Amino acid sequence: AQKVTQAQTEISVVEKEDVTLDCVYETRDTTYYLFWYKQPPSGELVFLIRRNSFDEQNEISGRYSWNFQKSTSSFNFTITASQVVDSAVYFCALSVVGSQGNLIFGKGTKLSVKP
Amino acid sequence: ETGVTQTPRHLVMGMTNKKSLKCEQHLGHNAMYWYKQSAKKPLELMFVYNFKEQTENNSVPSRFSPECPNSSHLFLHLHTLQPEDSALYLCASSLLAGGGTDTQYFGPGTRLTVL
């Protein structure tokens, strides 16, 4: 069975601090995809990144970076120089090929960035 | 027009009412999804439609009845709901329902309250 664990329920930082959101996943499949979504207070889930299981290169997009390590089954997300607009709930998700698009979500990490 | 739209954004209904949620995607996708997000549980997949055909029903009670008349529109018909059905209902779409190979894009959700 597949599972995604986001152990950090809530994180609070002050603006300009760096923050890392942890994600640990479980699957026996060798081909899978990992995702991060952002859910601001408005409710819409905003897609941030998709990573396949064969690509362990870290990725950087502006202030966002992702560290994928198969050895520890982790896909962590770091925000550098956080801003108030980063305040949201962040979800990590897993999907395996052939699952008819079934995304397995973690419970989410609520990030509060204070000015 | 934004990618995935949902109406209404908020809905309050009694247990004996019948109402419908509507989702429309403007992305040219072929797969559409309904998710339920409640305070006590992680995001739960309810239904998947691929090329208008239902391919997944995640043991959803029959008081929720989906309808997909074409690849751009998805409805969720509600009748005789229970207070525990109060939640945020999210619609998503992807190019195909291929198990992670296609990213799912979400709408803003309908906040449902059942009295």
Side-chain angles (χ1 to χ4, degrees), chain A residues 33 35 37 39 42-47 50 91 95-103 105-107, chain B residues 9 33 35 37 42-43 45 48 55-56 88 90 97-108:
Chain A
Y33 292 80
F35 301 79
Y37 285 88
Q39 187 176 40
S42 59
E44 179 177 353
L45 277 165
V46 178
F47 165 73
R50 180 182 79 195
F91 291 93
S95 183
V96 299
V97 175
S99 66
Q100 284 300 307
N102 194 353
L103 275 174
F105 283 89
K107 293 186 177 181
Chain B
R9 293 294 309 277
Y33 311 77
Y35 285 85
Q37 186 179 27
L43 274 151
L45 178 67
V48 180
T55 56
E56 182 97 6
L88 180 68
L90 289 159
T101 56
D102 293 299
T103 299
Q104 293 183 29
Y105 294 90
F106 286 79

Coordinates of all heavy atoms in Angstrom, one line a residue, chain A residues 33 35 37 39 42-47 50 91 95-103 105-107, chain B residues 9 33 35 37 42-43 45 48 55-56 88 90 97-108:
Chain A
Y33 N 5.3 8.7 -9.0 CA 5.5 10.2 -9.1 C 5.2 10.9 -7.8 O 4.3 10.4 -7.1 CB 4.5 10.7 -10.2 CG 4.9 10.3 -11.6 CD1 4.5 9.0 -12.0 CD2 5.6 11.1 -12.5 CE1 4.9 8.6 -13.3 CE2 6.0 10.7 -13.7 CZ 5.6 9.4 -14.1 OH 5.9 9.0 -15.4
F35 N 4.5 14.7 -5.9 CA 4.0 16.0 -6.1 C 4.0 16.9 -4.9 O 4.0 16.3 -3.7 CB 2.5 16.0 -6.6 CG 2.3 15.1 -7.8 CD1 2.2 13.8 -7.7 CD2 2.1 15.8 -9.0 CE1 2.0 13.0 -8.9 CE2 1.9 15.0 -10.2 CZ 1.8 13.6 -10.1
Y37 N 1.8 20.3 -3.6 CA 0.7 21.3 -3.9 C 0.7 22.3 -2.8 O 1.0 22.0 -1.6 CB -0.6 20.6 -4.0 CG -0.9 19.9 -5.3 CD1 -0.5 18.5 -5.4 CD2 -1.5 20.5 -6.4 CE1 -0.7 17.8 -6.6 CE2 -1.8 19.8 -7.5 CZ -1.4 18.4 -7.6 OH -1.6 17.7 -8.8
Q39 N -1.9 25.0 -0.8 CA -3.3 25.4 -0.7 C -3.4 26.6 0.2 O -3.4 26.6 1.4 CB -4.1 24.2 0.0 CG -5.6 24.5 0.0 CD -6.5 23.4 0.6 OE1 -6.0 22.7 1.5 NE2 -7.6 23.1 0.0
S42 N -7.7 30.5 0.3 CA -8.8 30.5 -0.7 C -9.3 29.1 -1.0 O -10.4 28.9 -1.5 CB -8.4 31.2 -2.0 OG -7.3 30.6 -2.6
G43 N -8.5 28.1 -0.8 CA -8.9 26.7 -0.9 C -8.4 26.0 -2.1 O -8.3 24.7 -2.1
E44 N -8.0 26.7 -3.2 CA -7.6 26.0 -4.4 C -6.2 25.3 -4.2 O -5.3 25.9 -3.6 CB -7.5 27.0 -5.5 CG -7.0 26.4 -6.8 CD -7.1 27.5 -7.9 OE1 -7.6 28.6 -7.7 OE2 -6.6 27.2 -9.0
L45 N -6.1 24.1 -4.6 CA -4.8 23.4 -4.6 C -4.0 23.9 -5.8 O -4.4 23.7 -6.9 CB -4.9 21.9 -4.6 CG -5.3 21.3 -3.3 CD1 -5.7 19.8 -3.5 CD2 -4.0 21.2 -2.4
V46 N -2.8 24.5 -5.6 CA -2.0 25.0 -6.6 C -0.8 24.0 -6.8 O 0.0 23.7 -5.9 CB -1.4 26.4 -6.3 CG1 -0.5 26.9 -7.4 CG2 -2.6 27.3 -6.1
F47 N -0.6 23.5 -8.0 CA 0.4 22.6 -8.3 C 1.8 23.3 -8.3 O 1.9 24.4 -8.8 CB 0.2 22.0 -9.8 CG 1.4 21.3 -10.3 CD1 1.8 20.1 -9.9 CD2 2.1 21.9 -11.4 CE1 2.9 19.4 -10.4 CE2 3.2 21.3 -11.9 CZ 3.6 20.0 -11.5
R50 N 6.2 18.2 -10.0 CA 6.0 16.7 -10.1 C 7.4 16.2 -10.4 O 8.2 16.7 -11.1 CB 5.1 16.4 -11.3 CG 4.9 14.9 -11.6 CD 4.1 14.7 -12.8 NE 4.9 14.8 -14.0 CZ 4.3 14.9 -15.2 NH1 3.0 14.9 -15.3 NH2 5.1 14.9 -16.3
F91 N 0.9 20.3 0.6 CA 0.6 18.9 0.6 C 1.6 18.2 -0.3 O 1.9 18.7 -1.4 CB -0.8 18.6 0.0 CG -1.9 19.0 0.9 CD1 -2.5 20.3 0.8 CD2 -2.4 18.2 1.9 CE1 -3.5 20.7 1.6 CE2 -3.4 18.5 2.7 CZ -4.0 19.8 2.6
S95 N 1.7 9.2 -6.5 CA 0.9 8.4 -7.5 C 1.7 7.4 -8.1 O 2.9 7.6 -8.5 CB 0.3 9.4 -8.5 OG -0.6 8.7 -9.4
V96 N 1.2 6.2 -8.3 CA 1.9 5.2 -9.0 C 1.2 4.9 -10.3 O 0.0 5.1 -10.5 CB 1.9 3.8 -8.2 CG1 2.6 4.1 -6.9 CG2 0.5 3.3 -7.9
V97 N 2.0 4.4 -11.3 CA 1.5 4.2 -12.6 C 0.5 3.1 -12.6 O 0.6 2.1 -11.9 CB 2.7 3.8 -13.6 CG1 2.2 3.4 -14.9 CG2 3.7 4.9 -13.7
G98 N -0.6 3.3 -13.3 CA -1.7 2.4 -13.4 C -2.7 2.5 -12.3 O -3.6 1.7 -12.2
S99 N -2.6 3.5 -11.5 CA -3.5 3.7 -10.4 C -4.7 4.6 -10.8 O -5.5 5.0 -9.9 CB -2.8 4.3 -9.2 OG -2.4 5.7 -9.5
Q100 N -4.9 4.8 -12.0 CA -6.0 5.6 -12.5 C -6.0 7.0 -11.9 O -7.1 7.6 -11.6 CB -7.4 4.9 -12.2 CG -7.7 3.8 -13.2 CD -7.8 4.3 -14.6 OE1 -8.5 5.2 -15.0 NE2 -7.0 3.6 -15.5
G101 N -4.9 7.6 -11.8 CA -4.8 8.9 -11.3 C -5.0 9.1 -9.8 O -5.2 10.2 -9.4
N102 N -4.9 8.0 -9.1 CA -5.2 8.1 -7.7 C -4.0 8.8 -6.9 O -2.9 8.2 -6.8 CB -5.4 6.7 -7.1 CG -6.0 6.8 -5.7 OD1 -6.1 7.9 -5.1 ND2 -6.4 5.7 -5.1
L103 N -4.2 10.0 -6.5 CA -3.1 10.7 -5.7 C -3.3 10.4 -4.3 O -4.4 10.6 -3.7 CB -3.3 12.2 -6.0 CG -2.6 12.9 -7.2 CD1 -3.0 14.3 -7.3 CD2 -1.1 12.7 -7.1
F105 N -2.4 11.6 -0.8 CA -2.0 12.9 -0.2 C -1.5 12.6 1.3 O -2.1 11.8 2.0 CB -3.1 13.9 -0.1 CG -3.3 14.6 -1.5 CD1 -4.2 14.0 -2.4 CD2 -2.7 15.8 -1.8 CE1 -4.5 14.7 -3.6 CE2 -2.9 16.4 -3.0 CZ -3.8 15.8 -3.9
G106 N -0.5 13.4 1.7 CA -0.2 13.5 3.1 C -1.3 14.4 3.8 O -2.1 15.0 3.1
K107 N -1.2 14.5 5.1 CA -2.1 15.3 5.8 C -1.9 16.8 5.7 O -2.7 17.7 6.1 CB -2.1 14.9 7.3 CG -2.7 13.5 7.5 CD -2.8 13.2 9.0 CE -3.4 11.8 9.1 NZ -3.6 11.4 10.5
Chain B
R9 N -19.4 28.3 -4.9 CA -18.2 28.2 -4.0 C -18.6 27.9 -2.6 O -17.8 27.3 -1.9 CB -17.5 29.6 -4.0 CG -16.9 30.0 -5.4 CD -15.7 29.0 -5.8 NE -14.8 28.9 -4.7 CZ -13.8 29.8 -4.5 NH1 -13.6 30.8 -5.3 NH2 -12.9 29.6 -3.5
Y33 N -11.8 14.6 -11.8 CA -11.8 13.9 -10.5 C -12.7 14.7 -9.5 O -12.7 15.9 -9.6 CB -10.4 13.8 -9.9 CG -9.4 13.3 -10.9 CD1 -8.8 14.1 -11.9 CD2 -8.8 12.0 -10.7 CE1 -7.9 13.6 -12.8 CE2 -7.8 11.6 -11.6 CZ -7.4 12.4 -12.6 OH -6.4 11.9 -13.4
Y35 N -12.7 15.1 -5.3 CA -12.1 14.9 -4.0 C -12.9 15.5 -2.9 O -13.5 16.5 -3.1 CB -10.7 15.5 -4.0 CG -9.6 14.8 -4.8 CD1 -9.4 15.1 -6.1 CD2 -8.7 13.9 -4.2 CE1 -8.4 14.5 -6.9 CE2 -7.7 13.3 -4.9 CZ -7.6 13.6 -6.3 OH -6.6 13.0 -7.0
Q37 N -12.4 17.0 1.0 CA -11.4 17.4 2.0 C -12.1 17.8 3.3 O -12.8 18.8 3.3 CB -10.5 18.6 1.5 CG -9.4 18.9 2.5 CD -8.6 20.1 1.9 OE1 -9.0 20.9 1.2 NE2 -7.3 20.1 2.3
P42 N -7.3 13.3 5.5 CA -6.6 13.8 4.4 C -7.5 13.9 3.2 O -8.6 13.3 3.2 CB -5.5 12.8 4.2 CG -5.4 11.9 5.3 CD -6.8 12.0 5.9
L43 N -7.0 14.5 2.1 CA -7.8 14.6 0.9 C -8.1 13.2 0.4 O -7.2 12.3 0.3 CB -6.9 15.3 -0.2 CG -7.0 16.8 -0.2 CD1 -5.8 17.4 -0.8 CD2 -8.2 17.2 -1.1
L45 N -9.9 10.8 -2.6 CA -10.4 10.7 -3.9 C -11.8 10.0 -3.9 O -11.9 9.0 -3.2 CB -9.4 9.8 -4.8 CG -9.9 9.6 -6.2 CD1 -9.9 10.9 -7.0 CD2 -9.0 8.5 -6.9
V48 N -13.3 9.1 -10.4 CA -12.4 9.4 -11.5 C -13.2 9.1 -12.8 O -13.8 8.1 -12.9 CB -11.1 8.6 -11.5 CG1 -10.3 9.0 -12.7 CG2 -10.3 8.8 -10.2
T55 N -14.0 5.5 -14.0 CA -13.0 4.5 -13.9 C -12.7 4.2 -12.4 O -12.0 3.2 -12.1 CB -11.7 4.9 -14.6 OG1 -11.3 6.1 -14.1 CG2 -12.0 5.0 -16.1
E56 N -13.2 5.0 -11.5 CA -12.9 4.8 -10.1 C -14.0 5.3 -9.3 O -14.5 6.4 -9.5 CB -11.6 5.5 -9.7 CG -11.2 5.3 -8.3 CD -10.1 4.3 -8.1 OE1 -9.6 3.7 -9.2 OE2 -9.8 3.9 -7.0
L88 N -15.0 20.4 2.1 CA -14.6 21.1 0.9 C -14.5 20.1 -0.2 O -13.8 19.1 -0.1 CB -13.3 21.8 1.1 CG -12.7 22.6 -0.1 CD1 -13.6 23.8 -0.4 CD2 -11.3 23.0 0.1
L90 N -13.4 19.2 -3.9 CA -12.5 19.7 -4.9 C -12.6 18.9 -6.2 O -12.7 17.7 -6.2 CB -11.1 19.7 -4.4 CG -10.7 20.7 -3.3 CD1 -9.5 20.2 -2.5 CD2 -10.5 22.0 -3.9
A97 N -6.1 10.0 -17.1 CA -6.0 9.4 -15.8 C -5.0 8.3 -15.8 O -5.3 7.1 -15.7 CB -7.4 8.8 -15.4
G98 N -3.7 8.7 -15.9 CA -2.7 7.7 -16.1 C -1.8 7.4 -14.9 O -0.7 6.9 -15.1
G99 N -2.2 7.7 -13.7 CA -1.4 7.3 -12.5 C -0.2 8.1 -12.4 O 0.9 7.6 -12.3
G100 N -0.3 9.4 -12.4 CA 0.8 10.3 -12.0 C 1.5 10.8 -13.2 O 2.3 11.7 -13.1
T101 N 1.3 10.2 -14.4 CA 2.1 10.7 -15.6 C 1.5 12.1 -16.0 O 2.2 12.8 -16.7 CB 2.0 9.7 -16.7 OG1 0.6 9.5 -17.0 CG2 2.6 8.4 -16.4
D102 N 0.3 12.4 -15.6 CA -0.3 13.7 -15.9 C -0.7 14.4 -14.6 O -1.3 13.8 -13.8 CB -1.5 13.5 -16.8 CG -1.2 12.9 -18.1 OD1 -0.4 13.6 -18.9 OD2 -1.6 11.8 -18.5
T103 N -0.2 15.6 -14.6 CA -0.5 16.4 -13.4 C -1.9 16.8 -13.3 O -2.6 17.1 -14.2 CB 0.4 17.7 -13.4 OG1 1.7 17.3 -13.5 CG2 0.1 18.6 -12.2
Q104 N -2.5 16.7 -12.1 CA -3.9 17.1 -11.8 C -3.9 18.6 -11.4 O -3.1 19.0 -10.6 CB -4.5 16.3 -10.7 CG -4.6 14.8 -11.1 CD -5.3 14.0 -10.0 OE1 -6.1 14.5 -9.2 NE2 -5.0 12.7 -10.0
Y105 N -4.8 19.3 -12.0 CA -5.0 20.7 -11.7 C -6.4 20.9 -11.0 O -7.4 20.3 -11.5 CB -4.9 21.5 -13.0 CG -3.5 21.5 -13.6 CD1 -3.2 20.5 -14.5 CD2 -2.6 22.4 -13.2 CE1 -1.9 20.5 -15.1 CE2 -1.3 22.4 -13.7 CZ -1.0 21.4 -14.7 OH 0.3 21.4 -15.2
F106 N -6.4 21.6 -10.0 CA -7.5 21.7 -9.1 C -8.3 23.0 -9.3 O -7.7 24.0 -9.6 CB -7.1 21.5 -7.7 CG -6.7 20.1 -7.3 CD1 -5.5 19.6 -7.6 CD2 -7.6 19.3 -6.6 CE1 -5.1 18.3 -7.2 CE2 -7.3 18.0 -6.2 CZ -6.0 17.5 -6.6
G107 N -9.6 22.9 -9.0 CA -10.4 24.0 -8.9 C -10.4 24.6 -7.5 O -9.8 24.0 -6.6
P108 N -11.1 25.7 -7.3 CA -11.1 26.4 -6.0 C -12.0 25.7 -4.9 O -11.9 26.0 -3.7 CB -11.7 27.7 -6.3 CG -12.6 27.5 -7.5 CD -11.9 26.4 -8.3

